[in-house]
Short mmCIF file of all heavy atoms in Angstrom, two decimals:
data_model
loop_
_atom_site.label_atom_id
_atom_site.label_comp_id
_atom_site.label_asym_id
_atom_site.label_seq_id
_atom_site.Cartn_x
_atom_site.Cartn_y
_atom_site.Cartn_z
N ILE A 119 112.89 154.78 27.72
CA ILE A 119 112.90 154.35 26.32
C ILE A 119 114.33 154.41 25.78
O ILE A 119 114.80 153.47 25.13
CB ILE A 119 111.95 155.23 25.47
CG1 ILE A 119 110.49 154.98 25.87
CG2 ILE A 119 112.16 154.99 23.98
CD1 ILE A 119 109.50 156.00 25.31
N ARG A 122 116.39 151.59 27.12
CA ARG A 122 116.04 150.30 26.50
C ARG A 122 116.76 150.15 25.15
O ARG A 122 117.33 149.10 24.86
CB ARG A 122 114.53 150.20 26.32
CG ARG A 122 114.09 148.87 25.75
CD ARG A 122 112.58 148.64 25.87
NE ARG A 122 111.77 149.80 25.55
CZ ARG A 122 111.35 150.11 24.32
NH1 ARG A 122 111.69 149.35 23.30
NH2 ARG A 122 110.61 151.17 24.11
N TYR A 123 116.77 151.23 24.35
CA TYR A 123 117.47 151.16 23.06
C TYR A 123 118.99 151.10 23.24
O TYR A 123 119.69 150.45 22.47
CB TYR A 123 117.06 152.31 22.14
CG TYR A 123 115.66 152.11 21.59
CD1 TYR A 123 114.63 152.98 21.92
CD2 TYR A 123 115.37 151.03 20.77
CE1 TYR A 123 113.35 152.80 21.43
CE2 TYR A 123 114.09 150.82 20.28
CZ TYR A 123 113.08 151.71 20.61
OH TYR A 123 111.81 151.50 20.13
N ALA A 124 119.49 151.75 24.26
CA ALA A 124 120.94 151.67 24.54
C ALA A 124 121.32 150.23 24.90
O ALA A 124 122.36 149.72 24.46
CB ALA A 124 121.32 152.62 25.68
N LEU A 126 119.71 147.56 23.88
CA LEU A 126 119.62 146.81 22.64
C LEU A 126 120.87 147.00 21.79
O LEU A 126 121.34 146.06 21.13
CB LEU A 126 118.38 147.23 21.83
CG LEU A 126 117.05 146.62 22.25
CD1 LEU A 126 115.90 147.30 21.52
CD2 LEU A 126 117.06 145.12 21.97
N ALA A 127 121.40 148.21 21.78
CA ALA A 127 122.62 148.49 21.01
C ALA A 127 123.77 147.62 21.50
O ALA A 127 124.61 147.20 20.71
CB ALA A 127 122.98 149.97 21.10
N ASP A 130 122.57 143.61 20.70
CA ASP A 130 122.27 143.26 19.30
C ASP A 130 123.25 143.99 18.39
O ASP A 130 122.91 144.99 17.76
CB ASP A 130 120.83 143.65 18.98
CG ASP A 130 120.40 143.30 17.56
OD1 ASP A 130 121.15 142.59 16.85
OD2 ASP A 130 119.32 143.77 17.15
N ASP A 132 124.41 143.52 15.50
CA ASP A 132 124.07 143.66 14.08
C ASP A 132 123.23 144.91 13.81
O ASP A 132 123.24 145.44 12.70
CB ASP A 132 123.31 142.43 13.57
CG ASP A 132 124.19 141.19 13.52
OD1 ASP A 132 125.43 141.34 13.51
OD2 ASP A 132 123.63 140.08 13.49
N ASN A 133 122.52 145.37 14.82
CA ASN A 133 121.65 146.55 14.67
C ASN A 133 122.05 147.67 15.63
O ASN A 133 121.25 148.56 15.91
CB ASN A 133 120.19 146.15 14.91
CG ASN A 133 119.72 145.17 13.87
OD1 ASN A 133 119.76 145.47 12.68
ND2 ASN A 133 119.32 143.98 14.28
N ALA A 134 123.27 147.62 16.14
CA ALA A 134 123.72 148.57 17.16
C ALA A 134 123.61 150.02 16.69
O ALA A 134 123.22 150.90 17.46
CB ALA A 134 125.15 148.27 17.58
N GLN A 135 123.91 150.29 15.42
CA GLN A 135 123.85 151.66 14.93
C GLN A 135 122.42 152.19 15.00
O GLN A 135 122.17 153.30 15.48
CB GLN A 135 124.38 151.74 13.50
CG GLN A 135 124.42 153.15 12.96
CD GLN A 135 125.01 153.22 11.56
OE1 GLN A 135 125.17 152.21 10.88
NE2 GLN A 135 125.33 154.42 11.13
N ALA A 136 121.46 151.40 14.54
CA ALA A 136 120.06 151.84 14.57
C ALA A 136 119.58 152.03 16.00
O ALA A 136 118.94 153.04 16.33
CB ALA A 136 119.17 150.83 13.84
N TRP A 137 119.89 151.07 16.88
CA TRP A 137 119.44 151.18 18.27
C TRP A 137 120.08 152.38 18.96
O TRP A 137 119.43 153.06 19.76
CB TRP A 137 119.72 149.90 19.05
CG TRP A 137 119.03 148.68 18.51
CD1 TRP A 137 119.56 147.44 18.38
CD2 TRP A 137 117.67 148.56 18.05
NE1 TRP A 137 118.65 146.56 17.86
CE2 TRP A 137 117.46 147.22 17.65
CE3 TRP A 137 116.61 149.45 17.93
CZ2 TRP A 137 116.24 146.75 17.15
CZ3 TRP A 137 115.39 148.99 17.41
CH2 TRP A 137 115.22 147.67 17.03
N SER A 138 121.34 152.66 18.66
CA SER A 138 122.01 153.83 19.25
C SER A 138 121.34 155.12 18.80
O SER A 138 121.16 156.05 19.59
CB SER A 138 123.49 153.86 18.85
OG SER A 138 124.16 152.76 19.42
N MET A 139 120.97 155.17 17.53
CA MET A 139 120.29 156.37 17.02
C MET A 139 118.92 156.54 17.69
O MET A 139 118.53 157.65 18.05
CB MET A 139 120.16 156.28 15.50
CG MET A 139 121.52 156.34 14.79
SD MET A 139 121.42 155.89 13.05
CE MET A 139 121.17 157.50 12.34
N CYS A 140 118.21 155.43 17.86
CA CYS A 140 116.91 155.48 18.54
C CYS A 140 117.08 155.97 19.98
O CYS A 140 116.30 156.77 20.48
CB CYS A 140 116.25 154.10 18.52
SG CYS A 140 115.72 153.56 16.88
N SER A 141 118.13 155.48 20.63
CA SER A 141 118.41 155.89 22.01
C SER A 141 118.69 157.39 22.08
O SER A 141 118.17 158.09 22.95
CB SER A 141 119.59 155.09 22.55
OG SER A 141 119.89 155.48 23.87
N VAL A 143 117.72 159.77 20.06
CA VAL A 143 116.49 160.54 19.82
C VAL A 143 115.63 160.55 21.08
O VAL A 143 115.07 161.59 21.45
CB VAL A 143 115.71 159.98 18.62
CG1 VAL A 143 114.34 160.65 18.50
CG2 VAL A 143 116.49 160.20 17.34
N ALA A 144 115.51 159.43 21.75
CA ALA A 144 114.70 159.38 22.97
C ALA A 144 115.29 160.28 24.06
O ALA A 144 114.55 160.96 24.77
CB ALA A 144 114.57 157.94 23.46
N ALA A 159 114.88 164.67 15.32
CA ALA A 159 114.13 163.46 14.99
C ALA A 159 114.04 163.27 13.48
O ALA A 159 114.22 162.16 12.97
CB ALA A 159 112.74 163.51 15.62
N THR A 162 117.51 162.26 12.14
CA THR A 162 117.82 160.89 12.51
C THR A 162 116.97 159.91 11.71
O THR A 162 117.47 158.87 11.26
CB THR A 162 117.62 160.67 14.03
OG1 THR A 162 118.42 161.63 14.73
CG2 THR A 162 118.03 159.27 14.45
N ALA A 163 115.70 160.24 11.51
CA ALA A 163 114.83 159.38 10.70
C ALA A 163 115.39 159.24 9.28
O ALA A 163 115.42 158.13 8.73
CB ALA A 163 113.41 159.94 10.67
N GLN A 164 115.85 160.34 8.71
CA GLN A 164 116.43 160.28 7.36
C GLN A 164 117.66 159.38 7.33
O GLN A 164 117.83 158.59 6.40
CB GLN A 164 116.78 161.68 6.87
CG GLN A 164 115.58 162.54 6.56
CD GLN A 164 115.94 163.99 6.28
OE1 GLN A 164 117.07 164.42 6.47
NE2 GLN A 164 114.95 164.75 5.82
N MET A 165 118.51 159.50 8.33
CA MET A 165 119.70 158.65 8.39
C MET A 165 119.32 157.18 8.56
O MET A 165 119.89 156.31 7.91
CB MET A 165 120.63 159.10 9.51
CG MET A 165 121.34 160.41 9.22
SD MET A 165 122.60 160.84 10.43
CE MET A 165 121.59 161.22 11.86
N LEU A 166 118.36 156.92 9.43
CA LEU A 166 117.92 155.54 9.64
C LEU A 166 117.32 154.94 8.37
O LEU A 166 117.57 153.78 8.05
CB LEU A 166 116.89 155.47 10.77
CG LEU A 166 117.43 155.39 12.18
CD1 LEU A 166 116.33 155.61 13.21
CD2 LEU A 166 118.11 154.05 12.41
N GLN A 167 116.54 155.74 7.65
CA GLN A 167 115.92 155.24 6.42
C GLN A 167 116.97 154.84 5.39
O GLN A 167 116.74 153.94 4.58
CB GLN A 167 114.97 156.29 5.85
CG GLN A 167 113.73 156.44 6.70
CD GLN A 167 112.92 157.68 6.37
OE1 GLN A 167 113.24 158.45 5.47
NE2 GLN A 167 111.84 157.89 7.12
N LEU A 168 118.13 155.47 5.43
CA LEU A 168 119.20 155.13 4.51
C LEU A 168 119.85 153.78 4.83
O LEU A 168 120.36 153.11 3.93
CB LEU A 168 120.28 156.21 4.51
CG LEU A 168 119.88 157.56 3.92
CD1 LEU A 168 120.99 158.59 4.16
CD2 LEU A 168 119.56 157.44 2.44
N ILE A 169 119.84 153.40 6.10
CA ILE A 169 120.52 152.16 6.49
C ILE A 169 119.57 150.99 6.74
O ILE A 169 120.01 149.86 6.82
CB ILE A 169 121.42 152.37 7.73
CG1 ILE A 169 120.59 152.72 8.97
CG2 ILE A 169 122.48 153.41 7.46
CD1 ILE A 169 121.38 152.71 10.26
N MET A 170 118.28 151.27 6.83
CA MET A 170 117.31 150.21 7.14
C MET A 170 116.98 149.39 5.89
O MET A 170 116.93 149.93 4.79
CB MET A 170 116.01 150.82 7.70
CG MET A 170 116.17 151.62 8.99
SD MET A 170 116.71 150.63 10.39
CE MET A 170 115.36 149.51 10.55
N THR A 171 116.74 148.11 6.09
CA THR A 171 116.31 147.25 4.98
C THR A 171 114.79 147.19 4.90
O THR A 171 114.25 146.69 3.92
CB THR A 171 116.87 145.82 5.17
OG1 THR A 171 116.44 145.31 6.43
CG2 THR A 171 118.39 145.83 5.08
N SER A 172 114.12 147.71 5.90
CA SER A 172 112.66 147.76 5.93
C SER A 172 112.22 149.22 6.02
O SER A 172 112.89 150.03 6.66
CB SER A 172 112.16 147.00 7.17
OG SER A 172 110.81 147.30 7.43
N PRO A 173 111.11 149.57 5.41
CA PRO A 173 110.65 150.97 5.48
C PRO A 173 109.99 151.32 6.83
O PRO A 173 109.69 152.47 7.09
CB PRO A 173 109.63 151.07 4.34
CG PRO A 173 109.11 149.68 4.18
CD PRO A 173 110.27 148.77 4.52
N ALA A 174 109.83 150.34 7.70
CA ALA A 174 109.16 150.57 8.99
C ALA A 174 110.06 151.30 9.97
O ALA A 174 111.28 151.09 10.00
CB ALA A 174 108.72 149.24 9.59
N ASN A 175 109.47 152.14 10.78
CA ASN A 175 110.17 152.86 11.84
C ASN A 175 110.55 151.85 12.93
O ASN A 175 109.67 151.24 13.53
CB ASN A 175 109.24 153.95 12.41
CG ASN A 175 109.88 154.78 13.50
OD1 ASN A 175 110.90 154.42 14.06
ND2 ASN A 175 109.25 155.89 13.82
N PRO A 176 111.84 151.67 13.22
CA PRO A 176 112.24 150.67 14.21
C PRO A 176 111.99 151.10 15.65
O PRO A 176 112.09 150.30 16.57
CB PRO A 176 113.74 150.51 13.97
CG PRO A 176 114.16 151.85 13.45
CD PRO A 176 112.99 152.34 12.62
N CYS A 177 111.68 152.38 15.84
CA CYS A 177 111.52 152.87 17.22
C CYS A 177 110.48 153.99 17.27
O CYS A 177 110.80 155.13 17.56
CB CYS A 177 112.86 153.34 17.78
SG CYS A 177 113.78 154.48 16.73
N ASP A 178 109.21 153.63 16.99
CA ASP A 178 108.17 154.65 16.95
C ASP A 178 107.85 155.25 18.32
O ASP A 178 107.21 156.29 18.41
CB ASP A 178 106.91 154.13 16.27
CG ASP A 178 106.34 152.87 16.92
OD1 ASP A 178 106.90 152.41 17.94
OD2 ASP A 178 105.35 152.35 16.40
N ASP A 179 108.35 154.63 19.38
CA ASP A 179 108.19 155.24 20.69
C ASP A 179 109.26 156.31 20.94
O ASP A 179 109.12 157.14 21.84
CB ASP A 179 108.20 154.19 21.81
CG ASP A 179 109.41 153.27 21.78
OD1 ASP A 179 110.15 153.28 20.77
OD2 ASP A 179 109.60 152.52 22.75
N ALA A 180 110.30 156.31 20.14
CA ALA A 180 111.35 157.34 20.24
C ALA A 180 111.19 158.38 19.14
O ALA A 180 111.32 159.58 19.37
CB ALA A 180 112.73 156.70 20.15
N ILE A 181 110.92 157.94 17.92
CA ILE A 181 110.73 158.83 16.77
C ILE A 181 109.25 158.78 16.37
O ILE A 181 108.81 157.80 15.77
CB ILE A 181 111.61 158.42 15.57
CG1 ILE A 181 113.08 158.40 15.94
CG2 ILE A 181 111.36 159.38 14.39
CD1 ILE A 181 114.00 157.88 14.85
N PRO A 182 108.49 159.79 16.71
CA PRO A 182 107.06 159.79 16.36
C PRO A 182 106.84 159.66 14.84
O PRO A 182 107.68 160.12 14.04
CB PRO A 182 106.56 161.16 16.86
CG PRO A 182 107.54 161.54 17.92
CD PRO A 182 108.87 160.98 17.46
N ALA A 183 105.73 159.06 14.46
CA ALA A 183 105.42 158.80 13.05
C ALA A 183 105.49 160.07 12.19
O ALA A 183 105.88 160.00 11.03
CB ALA A 183 104.04 158.15 12.93
N TYR A 185 107.58 162.31 12.09
CA TYR A 185 108.94 162.60 11.67
C TYR A 185 109.52 161.50 10.79
O TYR A 185 110.57 161.67 10.20
CB TYR A 185 109.86 162.83 12.87
CG TYR A 185 109.35 163.93 13.77
CD1 TYR A 185 109.08 163.69 15.11
CD2 TYR A 185 109.13 165.21 13.26
CE1 TYR A 185 108.60 164.70 15.92
CE2 TYR A 185 108.66 166.21 14.08
CZ TYR A 185 108.40 165.95 15.40
OH TYR A 185 107.93 166.95 16.21
N TRP A 186 108.84 160.34 10.76
CA TRP A 186 109.35 159.22 9.98
C TRP A 186 108.98 159.41 8.53
O TRP A 186 109.63 159.24 7.59
CB TRP A 186 108.81 157.90 10.51
CG TRP A 186 109.46 156.74 9.84
CD1 TRP A 186 108.92 155.93 8.88
CD2 TRP A 186 110.79 156.23 10.05
NE1 TRP A 186 109.82 154.98 8.49
CE2 TRP A 186 110.98 155.14 9.19
CE3 TRP A 186 111.84 156.61 10.88
CZ2 TRP A 186 112.17 154.41 9.15
CZ3 TRP A 186 113.01 155.89 10.84
CH2 TRP A 186 113.17 154.80 9.98
#
Side-chain angles (χ1 to χ4, degrees):
I119 292 168
R122 183 167 43 87
Y123 287 115
L126 279 171
D130 181 10
D132 291 341
N133 296 302
Q135 184 177 13
W137 299 138
S138 294
M139 294 168 91
C140 292
S141 179
V143 172
T162 304
Q164 289 172 351
M165 288 187 291
L166 275 169
Q167 289 166 2
L168 292 173
I169 65 171
M170 299 296 298
T171 57
S172 165
N175 181 345
C177 50
D178 57 2
D179 52 349
I181 302 174
Y185 303 123
W186 187 255

